[in-house]
Amino acid sequence: QVQFVESGGGLVQPGGSLRLSCTASGFMVSLSTTGWYRQAPGKQRELVAAITRGGTTNYADSVKGRFIISRDNDKNTVYLQMNSLKPEDTAVYSCNKPSSTGRAVFDSWGQGTQVTVSS
């Protein structure tokens, strides 16, 4: 059974930074693509960053240049370093395996981690 456990969210002022962690079980992050998704209130969940098996990274235009996705294979954990945060980054952040279209492959989601950007 695949499980993801996200952590690291919190309340931060605009321009601040946070580092999110996603630890997987039943799923090897080193052998597949893993993505960070976010869902803001009243909006659809969107894929914001992904890292492939080979280490290639991809970002949504809205976060490009500000967010960095990385991976620690030994810890089976994927990270999302978020810099220059904006109020519009406020959302619940979760991880999953993205399909080629960006939709999440696994139906089950972790509890996510809340990120709130506000002064």
Side-chain angles (χ1 to χ4, degrees):
Q1 182 179 2
V2 175
Q3 287 187 318
F4 298 102
V5 178
E6 301 92 352
S7 63
L11 173 63
V12 62
Q13 292 187 341
S17 298
L18 282 174
R19 187 193 194 209
L20 308 184
S21 299
C22 167
T23 300
S25 58
F27 175 78
M28 298 295 291
V29 300
S30 61
L31 299 181
S32 188
T33 298
T34 310
W36 277 99
Y37 292 77
R38 70 183 180 187
Q39 186 168 24
K43 295 189 177 181
Q44 285 192 331
R45 183 180 280 125
E46 63 171 339
L47 177 65
V48 297
I51 183 165
T52 69
R53 175 177 180 173
T56 300
T57 57
N58 294 284
Y59 302 94
D61 288 343
S62 58
V63 307
K64 200 171 294 183
R66 300 187 297 121
F67 289 11
I68 301 171
I69 189 171
S70 62
R71 184 177 67 205
D72 185 328
N73 294 338
D74 291 338
K75 296 182 179 179
N76 208 32
T77 297
V78 175
Y79 302 98
L80 187 67
Q81 177 67 42
M82 306 188 297
N83 301 318
S84 302
L85 283 161
K86 305 175 181 181
E88 51 263 43
D89 294 318
T90 295
V92 176
Y93 286 72
S94 305
C95 50
N96 207 306
K97 173 182 166 62
S99 69
S100 58
T101 62
R103 289 177 62 89
V105 169
F106 300 115
D107 292 333
S108 61
W109 292 85
Q111 83 286 354
T113 188
Q114 175 71 49
V115 171
T116 302
V117 185
S118 175
S119 54

